[in-house]
Every structure is written in structure tokens, then in C-alpha cells.
Amino acid sequence: MNDVGDLTVEGDIGVLTLNSPPVNALSAPVREAIHEGIKQAIADDKVKAIVLICDGRTFIAGADITEFGKAPSGPSLFDAQDMIENAPKPVIAAIHGTALGGGLEVALTCHYRVAVPSAKCGLPEVNLGLLPGAGGTQRLPRIVGAQKALEMMTAGTHVGAKQCLEMGLVDELVEEGKLREGAIAFAKKVLAENRPLVKIREQNDKVEADRGHPEIFENFRKANARKFRGFLAPEYNIQCIEAAVNLPFEEGIKVEQKLFRELVTGTQSAAQRHVFFAERQVWKIPDVPKDTPIIPVESVGIIGAGTMGGGIAMNFLNSGIPVTIVETKQEALDRGVATIRKNYENSAKKGRFSMEEVEKRMGLLTPTLKMEDLGTADLIIEAVFENMDVKKDVFGKLDKIAKNGAILATNTSALNIDEIATAVKRPEAVIGLHFFSPANVMKLLEVVRADKTSKSVIATSMQVAKKIGKVAALVGVCPGFVGNRLLAQRQREAQKLIMEGAMPWDVDRVLYDFGLPMGPFAMSDLAGLDIGWNKEKSKGETLRDRLCEMDRRGQKTGAGYYDYDEERNATPSPVVEKMILDYAAEKGINRRQISDDEILERCIYPMINEGAKILEEGKAIRASDIDIVWIYGYGFPRYRGGPMFYGDTVGLDKVLGKMKEFQSQMGDDFKPSALLEKLVAEGKGFKDL
Ligand code: 3HC
Ligand code: NAI
């Protein structure tokens, strides 16, 4: 056996221990260790039963994701599983940490499973655009039935050990911290009681009970249609469970294998695997090492209790961190605090937590009109009006009040943070924490590094983000930072497209079908067309001015680009259609037929190009960070991997070709970035950077 596996014999129990940090993923050496280790244990006459256990933080957490797409080597997972399942002696899986994907599938070929109470089991392949490809789709329904299997596999949930015990996925819980002893004791019991060698593949009761009930699947599909929209993997998982219910085990496995191969070689899974690694990379900052000193953040100050300030405050209150929130007027303060309370009470009404919890969280909030009350806060976040003079004034005052070492953050969405930092004598303490609205809901946080921001302020901000459950991406100071800078490209093109020949609903349909949660015009209607619009100054110069002047200010007024009914269902508006035609005629625009392909390319390729400029300028660390920003901040479909990964899948040569074509027709909005040109010249993609 190789050095990943270790077989020891204790009395008549053979213990095969796997040790392949960090998560004992099923790489070729691990598969070999299982195959050879079990084989040796079978050959050893002293061994009467076998325990399969892992060292380190977890039981096998799945296939080795880095191996997908590479040439297979060593014994297959099926070889290793067959060795276990066909062993003439009981094999017991001993689970701690997480038995996930291929890890759980290995455990399901064991004759018995024991776990510590903190362990979790799951088949999360769907999150990687996959399905369990080592028999899991056929074995899980044989234990838990079709309904539970559908839920577990299409959501990829990690199920706690206690629940696993109730579902029959685990046979016994053993004392926390004593897995090895507990598993050996269990193995001895199996021998003493002469228990059978249970093969899940032969257990048909559950699937037979579900046979002849196709409504289980149809209802499930219907109930989840919205959630699964665009993704291939959930449907493929469902088809495998249908096969488990309707076909003999061997036939079901054939369906599983066929569908698995299709997914694992497809673009969606490649994209979702890219996102898996991107989500982990995004926390790593090359010039801010892991041992950078962290500033303890035990209290937070927030300036401004408006839309953003209140939402930001909730993040900290939810995490048990006390917040002092400052406003200029009592009325604004009361309104802000009341909104926070109302949000919490609504959550309590929906059963998310108790009313005591509401009070507990509100109890952590100190509203005040005195900025001096921020003197003890470790982190202060400014969320006042988006105006440079106002912000500088606030920071100037803050400089005199905040204690030494406090982090001074701004939530500005577009102002130059380097300039804001000139208002203080400690620019190294200044950073951007750009939350997205609604700040208590949206997962993304852009951490904006200014010229002089210290490493320790950066490291602390990233850690704080993690603590409050955000996904943080470190970006640099530039107009719109990363997320809105890409958005601006798309918005510009969307507006141009409706002048040139498309209608708002054409643009929206194309982008919705591409996988975005909604198109730009539906989004504008939702946000309100009057954000940043000035009634006094409005002179009907833009389409937006004209809509607002007609009081078509979006969903809230029942009309915007679309008409809305009482349930806020949108229908294309003939009024808007006419307005667009009139406006275009006034401007002398010759409208033309615009294809769906052109809509998509004009909205998305300039975003990719802008992403390349951002990379060129060093305003994002890596292309995959830009993908994370757009997935978590704007709902870019995970199955497309984010805009930059999408660019790679389309082919950067094609993106560049189109940009040049558009540039020659429509000018420098489409000027290709130097990086894009360079990558194409070298035959590379963003993935190669
Ligand atoms: N393969 C390769 N690397 C993996 C991995 C895997 N299955 N799971 C985790 N890693 C790596 C991570 O990339 C990370 O590497 P890094 O330190 O270089 O960034 C490291 O292991 C630690 O991972 P986390 O930072 O995620 O550690 P956590 O402790 O937060 O979480 C975990 C641990 C819950 C196991 C989490 O890593 C996880 O969810 N992993 C993926 C599980 C999964 O999806 N399994 C199914 C795989 S597909 C499959 O099994 C197909 C089969 O059906 C044939
Ligand atoms: P808002 O107008 O809802 O709230 C601003 C609040 O700040 C008001 O309640 C105001 O009374 C208060 N305020 C003004 N000056 C103050 C001062 N000197 N001291 C204390 N309080 C003061 O504005 P909103 O939308 O919350 O925006 C705040 C900041 O967040 C802006 O910089 C904005 O660009 C940014 N932002 C806004 C997003 C959004 O979607 N609304 C998204 C991301 C960032």
C-alpha cells in the first residue's frame, strides 16, 4: 500500500486509516490506498471486520475535483468500492467531519456506518454541476426514498449525523472525539451478533414503494422550476433517482454513468468547478500574508441610518457585534432604527427566529445623534449621502473622534476613496467597504483598497466580512470599482440598443434567458427610475427623464419601462414603445432589426473587455475575483462561471473579433483592451493569467 493508507490490526479488527490532507479527497493515491488496504485486510486471517476511518479534519470529502478533465490513473473509484462491498468481512465506515460526494458514496458501499454527532453527510455534486457518479444516485434512494433523495441531491445539503441516523444513512452515533474506539466497538458488536453483510444495492423496499408514482418527480420539478432554471445538473440528478426507482440497480448505474459523463465533460460543470475554486481563491491576497496582524473588531460604528446604514448595521447585530449608529436628526435616526426593527419583526413572523432574538439583536444597537459616541468603536463605516464634500467633512470630524487604530471605512459606491482619505491624518486606516443593497441580504462585499490602506486594515476587513457571512473581493479604487464598472458597460449598451431598434423587453428577455435574474430594464423599474433623477432640472432630455416626468418611476408607481398590475406582474408598455419610437425619430436614428445574438454580445462582451482593463490596471487581483463579484453581487449565472470565465468559454478570439467589428461600426465604446489583444495573440484565456 502507499503512504496515504495505513492498516493496523487491533485484536480481530483491521483499521484502515486514510491520510491525505486537507480533506482526504479521492485522488488516485487515496483510491489505491482503499483498494489495497481493504484487499490486505481481507487477506489477513486475523482480521474479522474492517473499519475505514480518516485522519485529519474530515472523512473523505469527495472526488478530487482537480482531477476532473485529466486522464484517469490508478484504480477507479468503482474498483475501490467493489473491493469494499464484496468483502467477505463486514466493513464499517467511521465518519467525522464531512462525508461528501464520492466520500459518502464510498461509505454507502460499506456494510455499516457510524459517525460522531458533529459529522455531516451529503451529496453536494449538484453544486459542481454534477451528479453523484459513484453509485450514490442509486444507493441513496434505496435508504431514504425518492423524495428525500431528491431534496438532498438537488440542494446538495449537508445533513447532520443525528438526522442521518433517523434516515438510516448512519447506523449508530458514537461519542464525539472517540470515533476510532466507537467504531471498533461497533465492529465487535457486528461480529458478536453475527450481523449480515448489508449491501445497499440489494435493498429495494424503498424504491419499490416509490415505483408507479411518477407524480413524486413531476411535482418536485414543478415546485423547483424557478430555482433550477438554466442549470442542467438538478434535472440530471432527478433522472437518476427516477432510474433508481424504476430500474434494476445495474441498469440504474448505467443511466447514472451516462449522465455523469455528459455533465463532467460539459461547460456548466467546468464553470461551476471554476466557481468552487474562485470562491476559495478570492480570500487570498498575495501581498497580505496570513500572519498579518488583525485588529480585534468588537464594536462597530455606523454613520448614516438610511437605506445602506441600516442594512449594514443588521449584518453586525446578526453576528452579535454591538453597533452605535449616528444620524444628524432625531427623525432620521428614529426612522432608521424603526426600519431595522421592522425587518427583524418580519423575519420573526416568518419563523426565522424568535421575538426574543429580535430584542436581543435590537439590544445591541445604540442610536445616537452624537458622533463623539464613536470614540470607542473598532470599525466605523460611513454611509452618508453620496457627496464628496459631505464625506470629507464626516471623515475630518471622525479623525478627531475615532480612537487610535480604528478602521475608518466608507460605503461610497462611486467616489474616489483616495480623495476621501485626504480628509484624515491617518490614511492608512481608510478603506472602502462597498456593501450591495439590500445590505443585510446581498452576499457580496467589495473591499476597496485605497493607495495608503494598511495591510492590517485589509486583512481585518476581509476577516470581518467572513464573520458577518459575506463573500468579499478585494478591489482597487476606480470609477464604480469592479461590479458597477462592468455594469456601466452593460447599461450603456442596453440604452443604445433600445434606441437603435430593440425594445426594453427584447433586451430583458435575452439577458434573462442567458441566466441573469432579470434584465436591465426590469432592474431599473425595480430599483426606481428616479434614483439620481432631479425633478427640477429634468427637461425631457433622456428617455429616463421623460418616463419620470410622466410619473412612470418604476414598480413603486405601477409603471416604468413596463406596466405593472397589483401583483407587480410586468407587461410591455405600448406607451413606452411609442415614446421610444418618437425619441429615436427626434434624434434621427434609423431603427433596424436587432438580433438576439447582437443584444447578448453587445451587453456582455464589453463587460468582459472592461474586466480585462480592470486586470490590466491591477484593480482586481485575478479574473476569477471579477467572476465572484458578478455572481454574488448581480446574480450572474453560476453555470456560466462569471463574465470572465464565460469569455474563456466563448473564446477570447471571438470576443475580440466582435469588439473590433462593433468598434468599426459604432466607435470606441468597443475599443478592445490591450490585455484582451495580448491574450488572443498568445492563444491564451483569462484562466492562464
Ligand atoms: N477536491 C479537491 N480539493 C478540495 C476538495 C475536493 N473535493 N474539497 C476541498 N478541497 C480543497 C479546497 O480547494 C481548499 O484548498 P485550498 O486550501 O488550496 O484553497 C482545501 O481543500 C480546503 O477546503 P475548504 O477551504 O473548502 O475547507 P472547509 O473546511 O471550509 O470545507 C469542505 C471543507 C466542506 C469539505 C469543502 O471543502 C467542500 O465542500 N468541498 C467539496 C465537497 C464536494 O463537493 N464533494 C463532491 C466532489 S464531486 C464528487 O465527489 C464526484 C463523485 O460523485 C464521483
Ligand atoms: P440614504 O439617503 O438612504 O441615507 C443616507 C443617510 O445619511 C441619511 O439618513 C442622512 O440623514 C444621513 N446623513 C447624512 N449626512 C450625515 C452626517 N453628517 N452624519 C450622520 N448621518 C448623515 O442613502 P443610502 O442609499 O443609504 O447611501 C449611503 C451611501 O451608500 C452612499 O454613499 C451611497 O452611494 C452608498 N451606497 C448606496 C447603495 C444603494 O443601493 N442605495 C449601494 C451601495 C452603496
Side-chain angles (χ1 to χ4, degrees):
M1 207 188 339
N2 57 34
D3 57 4
V4 167
D6 175 48
L7 180 66
T8 55
V9 182
E10 296 194 15
D12 52 1
I13 310 295
V15 180
L16 175 59
T17 308
L18 304 174
N19 184 8
S20 177
V23 297
N24 292 306
L26 289 159
S27 59
V30 173
R31 295 195 300 270
E32 186 189 311
I34 298 174
H35 191 263
E36 293 308 304
I38 299 286
K39 196 164 150 189
Q40 275 181 30
I42 293 171
D44 188 335
D45 287 339
K46 289 193 297 299
V47 172
K48 304 291 182 228
I50 306 162
V51 168
L52 175 65
I53 193 167
C54 291
D55 263 350
R57 64 213 249 201
T58 178
F59 190 76
I60 305 164
D64 185 337
I65 304 168
T66 60
E67 275 189 357
F68 291 138
K70 294 183 187 154
S73 68
S76 76
L77 188 49
F78 278 113
D79 293 339
Q81 288 176 301
D82 284 347
M83 188 60 78
I84 296 173
E85 197 169 44
N86 297 327
K89 313 170 178 181
V91 183
I92 294 110
I95 301 172
H96 76 297
T98 43
L100 298 177
L104 180 58
E105 292 175 292
V106 165
L108 292 178
T109 52
C110 294
H111 306 109
Y112 296 95
R113 286 154 297 282
V114 298
V116 288
S118 63
K120 292 196 169 97
C121 297
L123 294 175
E125 283 87 345
V126 73
N127 297 327
L128 300 169
L130 293 172
L131 52 86
T137 67
Q138 303 305 297
R139 288 191 179 86
L140 185 71
R142 283 180 158 73
I143 305 180
V144 304
Q147 185 63 39
K148 279 215 175 75
L150 285 168
E151 288 160 15
M152 268 181 80
M153 281 164 49
T154 60
T157 31
H158 299 181
V159 179
K162 197 159 157 271
Q163 209 186 334
C164 289
L165 181 70
E166 284 158 14
M167 297 194 309
L169 208 49
V170 159
D171 298 288
E172 196 171 288
L173 296 190
V174 304
E175 197 183 325
E176 197 69 56
K178 296 205 169 139
L179 181 59
R180 189 185 164 93
E181 299 91 308
I184 291 174
F186 182 83
K188 287 188 171 150
K189 193 159 67 182
V190 168
L191 291 176
E193 294 172 4
N194 213 2
R195 292 202 200 174
L197 299 177
V198 180
K199 289 186 184 174
I200 294 171
R201 62 189 291 156
E202 291 167 357
Q203 297 189 325
N204 292 321
D205 294 3
K206 284 268 161 71
V207 284
E208 277 166 10
D210 289 331
R211 201 167 295 162
H213 293 286
E215 70 280 5
I216 299 176
F217 301 98
E218 287 324 309
N219 293 344
F220 189 77
R221 283 189 175 99
K222 257 191 229 142
N224 292 286
R226 255 178 80 116
K227 197 163 106 199
F228 298 160
R229 180 174 77 94
F231 287 93
L232 286 178
E235 171 57 27
Y236 280 36
N237 273 275
I238 296 172
Q239 287 180 20
C240 287
I241 301 169
E242 272 178 318
V245 166
N246 296 320
L247 301 175
F249 184 85
E250 287 302 339
E251 294 303 309
I253 287 285
K254 282 185 198 152
V255 173
E256 176 190 280
Q257 288 310 294
K258 177 176 169 288
L259 295 181
F260 181 82
R261 264 194 306 277
E262 231 180 272
L263 288 178
V264 80
T265 53
T267 315
Q268 285 208 356
S269 175
Q272 287 175 256
R273 277 157 18 219
H274 161 78
V275 176
F276 176 87
F277 289 112
E279 286 168 335
R280 283 154 182 81
Q281 283 288 315
V282 76
W283 297 100
K284 296 173 190 164
I285 303 162
D287 71 329
V288 180
K290 264 191 168 158
D291 56 2
T292 305
I294 297 287
I295 303 160
V297 173
E298 278 152 21
S299 63
V300 170
I302 292 174
I303 311 177
T307 311
M308 294 307 287
I312 295 169
M314 289 176 73
N315 286 292
F316 294 96
L317 302 176
N318 297 348
S319 312
I321 301 171
V323 173
T324 302
I325 193 160
V326 188
E327 262 290 346
T328 45
K329 296 209 176 70
Q330 189 65 42
E331 195 195 341
L333 188 62
D334 291 346
R335 202 180 325 120
V337 172
T339 305
I340 297 177
R341 172 172 284 281
K342 197 175 100 218
N343 285 337
Y344 279 143
E345 286 177 352
N346 284 343
S347 296
K349 274 187 207 135
K350 286 183 193 143
R352 296 214 183 104
F353 44 73
S354 63
M355 279 308 288
E356 289 87 77
E357 184 61 30
V358 174
E359 294 312 323
K360 197 173 135 205
R361 294 185 194 189
M362 290 307 293
L364 291 169
L365 182 66
T366 310
T368 176
L369 294 175
K370 291 193 294 241
M371 200 136 122
E372 294 71 34
D373 291 349
L374 300 181
T376 55
D378 300 312
L379 161 66
I380 300 167
I381 305 172
E382 166 278 311
V384 305
F385 302 132
E386 185 77 339
N387 175 300
M388 183 55 90
D389 293 337
V390 178
K391 301 240 186 221
K392 275 179 152 173
D393 179 57
V394 166
F395 271 79
K397 287 182 185 144
L398 204 51
D399 200 22
K400 300 194 180 73
I401 294 167
K403 70 177 183 189
N404 247 340
I407 298 175
L408 310 181
T410 171
N411 181 49
T412 179
S413 34
L415 299 176
N416 184 332
I417 300 175
D418 290 320
E419 189 178 339
I420 296 177
T422 60
V424 299
K425 292 197 195 74
R426 39 176 151 174
E428 69 285 354
V430 177
I431 194 162
L433 292 181
H434 183 215
F435 289 81
F436 287 68
S437 181
N440 53 320
V441 177
M442 294 297 292
K443 288 282 270 182
L444 179 66
L445 180 67
E446 280 183 330
V447 175
V448 193
R449 174 183 204 161
D451 262 357
K452 297 195 173 137
T453 312
S454 78
K455 291 186 180 180
S456 131
V457 166
I458 294 170
T460 306
S461 298
M462 297 300 283
Q463 202 196 51
V464 165
K466 203 167 233 175
K467 192 159 180 194
I468 61 174
K470 299 290 178 198
V471 173
L474 187 71
V475 302
V477 176
C478 57
F481 310 127
V482 167
N484 287 341
R485 187 165 157 185
L486 262 67
L487 180 68
Q489 295 290 317
R490 188 190 82 180
Q491 299 304 83
R492 184 196 63 225
E493 287 311 307
Q495 286 296 339
K496 279 160 60 184
L497 282 162
I498 63 171
M499 285 303 132
E500 292 169 29
M503 280 292 152
W505 28 96
D506 299 323
V507 177
D508 281 358
R509 173 181 45 79
V510 169
L511 290 173
Y512 180 80
D513 289 348
F514 178 76
L516 283 153
M518 62 180 86
F521 298 100
M523 193 176 100
S524 297
D525 274 0
L526 179 67
L529 297 184
D530 54 352
I531 292 187
W533 175 70
N534 189 318
K535 195 171 178 174
E536 280 69 44
K537 291 190 187 149
S538 183
K539 286 198 211 81
E541 272 160 17
T542 63
L543 190 63
R544 195 261 297 252
D545 283 351
R546 293 182 186 189
L547 289 165
C548 287
E549 284 163 20
M550 286 178 73
D551 211 29
R552 297 188 69 101
R553 288 185 284 127
Q555 283 197 18
K556 60 187 172 190
T557 56
Y561 286 102
Y562 295 85
D563 291 331
Y564 293 90
D565 66 13
E566 288 77 44
E567 270 89 51
R568 297 205 166 188
N569 296 310
T571 42
S573 161
V575 176
V576 172
E577 180 159 354
K578 181 164 183 308
M579 275 173 81
I580 292 172
L581 296 178
D582 291 348
Y583 189 95
E586 267 173 47
K587 302 277 167 197
I589 299 167
N590 253 338
R591 286 175 67 85
R592 63 187 166 91
Q593 190 72 29
I594 296 183
S595 71
D596 287 359
D597 281 350
E598 180 176 342
I599 291 176
L600 189 69
E601 289 160 355
R602 291 220 0 227
C603 287
I604 306 280
Y605 293 179
M607 286 171 56
I608 299 169
N609 189 52
E610 197 65 24
K613 286 186 192 161
I614 285 171
L615 290 172
E616 237 170 72
E617 295 166 19
K619 301 297 180 189
I621 297 171
R622 32 182 111 71
S624 65
D625 289 3
I626 302 178
D627 289 334
I628 290 293
V629 166
W630 259 73
I631 287 170
Y632 282 94
Y634 304 81
F636 201 92
R638 291 174 82 87
Y639 59 79
R640 298 203 191 269
M644 307 310 276
F645 186 85
Y646 178 69
D648 277 352
T649 54
V650 169
L652 294 189
D653 51 345
K654 184 170 169 216
V655 175
L656 179 65
K658 275 285 166 194
M659 290 296 288
K660 284 185 169 163
E661 187 186 318
F662 292 145
Q663 187 188 21
S664 69
Q665 295 161 359
M666 292 171 265
D668 278 352
D669 283 347
F670 297 94
K671 187 170 190 287
S673 84
L675 178 62
L676 188 60
E677 302 251 26
K678 178 167 171 277
L679 287 172
V680 172
E682 291 169 357
K684 290 183 179 160
F686 294 118
K687 64 179 185 313
D688 303 309
L689 286 172

